[in-house]
Amino acid sequence: MSKEFDVVVIGGGPGGYVAAIRASQLGFNTACIDATSDKDGKASLGGTCLNVGCIPSKALLQSSENYFNAAHHFGDHGISTGTLKMDVSKMLARKQEIITKNTGGIAYLFKKNKVTSFHGVGAFKAKAGDAYLLEAKLADGTIEEITAKHVIIATGSSVRQLPGVTIDNHLVLDNEGALAIPSVPKRLGVIGAGVIGLEMGSVWKRLGSEVTVLEAMPAFLGAADEQVAREAKKFLTKETGLVINTGVKIGEIKAGKKDVTVHWTDTAGAEQVSVFDKLVVAIGRVPNTAGLNAEAVGLALTERGQIEVNDDCQSNLPNVWAIGDVVRGPMLAHKASDEGVAVAERIAGQHPHIDFNNIPWVIYTSPEIAWVGKTEEQLKAAGVEYKKGQFLFSANGRALALGEGKGFVKMLADKTTDRILGVHIVGPFASELIAEAVVAMEFNASSEDIARIVHAHPSLSEALHEAALACDKRGLHS
Ligand code: FAD
Ligand code: NAI
C-alpha cells in the first residue's frame, strides 16, 4: 500500500523545505523526500545551501576575515595581538556546528509544521489516475511507495564537471572539498572566477594560501555592472591578494600524488604551467534530474537538462511543479525559497507573484558586492535613458569608523520618470544594504523617494541616501 499525500516535495533544500512548510501551513497533507545525509548517514535537511553551500561558506568567510583583520588591520586600531595563531580544524568544527544547528532547525520546523520527512532518493514510478506514484529508496535500504496529488521537484544542482578531470575532493575539489581543506594549502588553484571561485579563493587567501584564479571569459564578473566589476577586481587583487587571470584556456590537468599540474593558455596566447597543492573547480552547476525517472511520466526537460517550467513553475505535466536550481533563472537560495512559497500558494488556488527583475545578487567577498535590477550596460543596450547617482564609502563616516571606506553605491533611475531601475553596491555590508534597494524597487520607488526618507546617522545606509540625492545632482556630502 502506498502512503498518500496531497503534496510531495522531492528535495529538501531552501526551495523544497520552504515549499513543504508553506504547503503544510496551507492545510495540505505534505511530505518531503530528501537524499542528503550527514557524515553519520543521518538525514541532513537544507540541501546544498545548508550542508555545502551558502551557510558553511559564510562561516568560513567570517573566520578567515577575522583572521585577516587580526593580522592586517587590528594595528590600525592600536590593538596588537602578539603572535597570531590559526587552528583550521577548529574553524572547520565551528562551521560544522553551524551546519548542524541549521539542518536540525529544518527537522524541527518539519515536525512543528507536520511535514512528513522521508530520508532517501525520490523518483517517479507511474501516473496514478490524476495523481502520481512515486518511489522513495530510503537510506535504510527500504523502498516506500508514495502517491501524490501534487509533486514539487526541488532537486537542486551539482557541480559542473570539467571534461577529463576527476574531482576526488582530496587534490581536485568541488565546493564540498573547498569547504573542508584540513590545512591551509601553500598553492591553491581555482578554475572559474564566478561566485564560488571568488568566495572560496578569498577564504583560503586570507588564511595564507597563494591563490591563482583561472577564468575562461575575458571579462571579470560578466553578470555584474562593469564599473562594480572593475572596482571589485581592484580590491580582490590588491587587498585580498588573489591573482586573477581572465581570458584563459584550460588545457591538460594532471593530478599527481601530492599536487596538481594545470596547463593553460593565457589571454595573450602564451602557454603556462602551474602546479597547485589543491585545485578547486568552480565552473558553474548543473541541474539534478538524473535520478528522477522523468521518462516514466513524460516530464519534459530543456536542452540544458533543467526541468521545463513556465513563469509559474508549472511543468508540462498537470500538478507537477519544479523550483530552484533545477529550473531556469539564477541559482540562488532566496530565489528557490520564494518559488517554493509561490508554488504552494498556487496549489492552494492563490495568485502569488515573483518579480524576477528584483532578485538581489550578493557576493560575500571583501568588500561585498551586491546588486538588484539592471546594470548600466543592460540599460544602454535596451536604449533606456537613465540618470545615475553615485556615492563613495570613503565619504561615509560609519564606513570610515569601521575601517571600510572603500567602494561605492550606484543608483540608476529612469531619466523621465525617476523610477529606480538598478542599484549596485561594492562595499561594506553590501549584502544588508541591498535590501533597502529591493524594497524600493518592489514598490516602484523613485530615486526621490529614497532621497526623502530619513536614514540613521551615522550608518552605511546614508550612502544609499546620498546616491539617491546624486541622481538629482543634489548630493550633500559629495
Ligand atoms: P539544493 O539546495 O541543491 O537542494 C536539493 C536537495 O535535493 C539536496 O538535498 C539533494 O540531496 C536533494 N535531492 C536531489 N535529487 C534528489 C532525489 N531524486 N530525491 C531526493 N532528494 C534529492 N545561494 C545564495 O543565495 N547565497 C549564497 O550565499 C550561496 N552560497 C553558495 C555557496 C556555495 C559553495 C554553493 C555551492 C552554492 C551557494 N549558493 C548560494 C547557491 C544555493 O546553494 C542554491 O541556489 C540553493 O541551494 C538551491 O536550492 P534548491 O532547493 O533548488 O536545491
Ligand atoms: P558561476 O556561474 O558563478 O561561475 C563560473 C565561472 O566559471 C564563470 O565565470 C565561467 O565563465 C567560468 N568558467 C566556465 N567554464 C570554464 C572553464 N572551462 N575554464 C575556466 N573558467 C570557466 O558558478 P559557480 O561559481 O560554480 O557557482 C555556481 C552557482 O552557485 C552560481 O551561479 C551562484 O548562483 C551560486 N552561488 C551563489 C553564491 C552567492 O549568492 N553568494 C555563492 C556561491 C555560489
Side-chain angles (χ1 to χ4, degrees):
M1 268 295 279
S2 74
K3 291 192 172 150
E4 291 185 7
F5 292 92
D6 299 324
V7 177
V8 173
V9 185
I10 307 181
Y17 83 73
V18 168
I21 290 172
R22 187 71 188 119
S24 206
Q25 283 176 350
L26 288 163
F28 296 110
N29 179 20
T30 305
C32 178
I33 311 169
D34 184 70
T36 301
S37 308
D38 66 12
K39 64 172 177 25
D40 302 320
K42 296 211 175 95
S44 192
L45 291 162
T48 303
C49 174
L50 265 49
N51 289 284
V52 287
C54 323
I55 300 301
S57 59
K58 268 76 246 175
L60 289 187
L61 277 157
Q62 191 59 50
S63 297
S64 62
E65 189 171 357
N66 289 350
Y67 177 78
F68 188 83
N69 284 338
H72 301 285
H73 296 310
F74 276 17
D76 306 342
H77 296 261
I79 302 170
S80 51
T81 52
T83 310
L84 203 57
K85 284 191 194 151
M86 176 202 316
D87 183 345
V88 175
S89 59
K90 193 155 185 196
M91 275 181 200
L92 297 181
R94 173 182 179 274
K95 176 206 73 172
Q96 192 51 50
E97 263 175 45
I98 294 168
I99 294 173
T100 307
K101 261 193 198 150
N102 273 282
T103 56
I106 310 301
Y108 160 79
L109 290 174
F110 271 11
K111 273 206 183 109
K112 184 180 159 201
N113 287 285
K114 301 189 173 47
V115 174
T116 304
S117 190
F118 293 103
H119 178 207
V121 177
F124 286 98
K125 202 167 175 198
K127 279 195 175 160
D130 287 345
Y132 294 88
L133 182 62
L134 306 172
E135 188 177 78
K137 288 196 179 102
L138 301 186
D140 64 9
T142 57
I143 290 184
E144 191 84 67
E145 289 208 333
I146 300 167
T147 307
K149 287 186 192 143
H150 292 265
V151 180
I152 305 176
I153 303 165
T155 44
S157 64
S158 312
V159 66
R160 181 190 299 283
Q161 304 280 337
L162 199 56
V165 181
T166 308
I167 289 174
D168 60 2
N169 274 334
H170 167 58
L171 287 177
V172 185
L173 319 172
D174 59 13
N175 55 302
E176 205 171 330
L179 287 161
I181 306 177
S183 60
V184 180
K186 187 166 172 335
R187 300 158 303 178
L188 179 73
V190 178
I191 302 188
V195 199
I196 295 180
L198 295 178
E199 289 189 357
M200 295 320 300
S202 294
V203 164
W204 295 106
K205 174 65 203 170
R206 289 169 186 166
L207 296 178
S209 296
E210 293 160 17
V211 178
T212 305
V213 184
L214 301 173
E215 164 61 44
M217 297 303 285
F220 176 69
L221 278 184
D225 183 274
E226 262 179 45
Q227 193 188 350
V228 165
R230 260 200 315 278
E231 185 85 350
K233 192 174 180 194
K234 186 177 85 189
F235 287 119
L236 289 172
T237 50
K238 289 205 174 130
E239 292 201 6
T240 307
L242 300 178
V243 176
I244 301 172
N245 298 283
T246 54
V248 312
K249 192 165 182 308
I250 303 293
E252 191 191 19
I253 298 182
K254 252 192 162 165
K257 282 211 172 113
K258 286 194 171 155
D259 50 29
V260 190
T261 305
V262 180
H263 295 255
W264 53 285
T265 311
D266 69 20
T267 187
E271 300 289 327
Q272 305 281 350
V273 181
S274 303
V275 182
F276 301 115
D277 301 299
K278 304 272 180 197
L279 178 70
V280 176
V281 178
I283 57 166
R285 296 177 64 82
V286 291
N288 291 330
T289 55
L292 280 173
N293 197 17
E295 318 75 64
V297 286
L299 178 66
L301 305 185
T302 68
E303 273 179 6
R304 300 175 61 191
Q306 297 158 324
I307 293 167
E308 194 175 291
V309 288
N310 64 13
D311 283 355
D312 288 348
C313 296
Q314 256 170 333
S315 76
N316 66 315
L317 301 175
N319 303 332
V320 177
W321 312 74
I323 59 173
D325 280 13
V326 79
V327 300
R328 83 281 169 275
M331 290 186 167
L332 295 172
H334 39 286
K335 178 260 192 186
S337 296
D338 277 29
E339 284 182 334
V341 168
V343 162
E345 292 177 352
R346 279 180 198 123
I347 293 172
Q350 299 180 7
H351 301 280
H353 173 71
I354 299 174
D355 188 342
F356 285 93
N357 186 51
N358 291 345
I359 294 177
W361 281 81
V362 180
I363 307 177
Y364 295 80
T365 45
S366 178
E368 291 183 350
I369 304 161
W371 71 88
V372 58
K374 302 284 188 245
T375 63
E376 276 200 67
E377 295 70 41
Q378 286 169 331
L379 294 178
K380 279 181 193 150
V384 177
E385 287 201 291
Y386 63 93
K387 50 191 176 172
K388 158 170 141 181
Q390 193 171 315
F391 190 75
L392 302 179
F393 282 107
S394 59
N396 174 279
R398 183 76 203 283
L400 292 179
L402 284 167
E404 296 277 357
K406 53 196 169 201
F408 58 80
V409 177
K410 176 163 86 172
M411 187 175 287
L412 306 171
D414 187 281
K415 198 168 178 185
T416 316
T417 65
D418 193 32
R419 181 177 163 193
I420 301 170
L421 302 173
V423 174
H424 304 270
I425 307 175
V426 52
F429 295 102
S431 54
E432 303 295 332
L433 293 175
I434 201 66
E436 181 180 356
V438 178
V439 172
M441 287 182 62
E442 199 61 42
F443 282 89
N444 289 325
S446 60
S447 76
E448 188 182 356
D449 287 328
I450 300 282
R452 294 200 178 276
I453 289 171
V454 181
H455 288 71
H457 175 77
S459 73
L460 297 170
S461 70
E462 288 173 294
L464 200 81
H465 186 222
E466 285 281 352
L469 286 166
C471 281
D472 195 31
K473 297 197 172 36
R474 57 188 181 102
L476 295 167
H477 295 88
S478 59

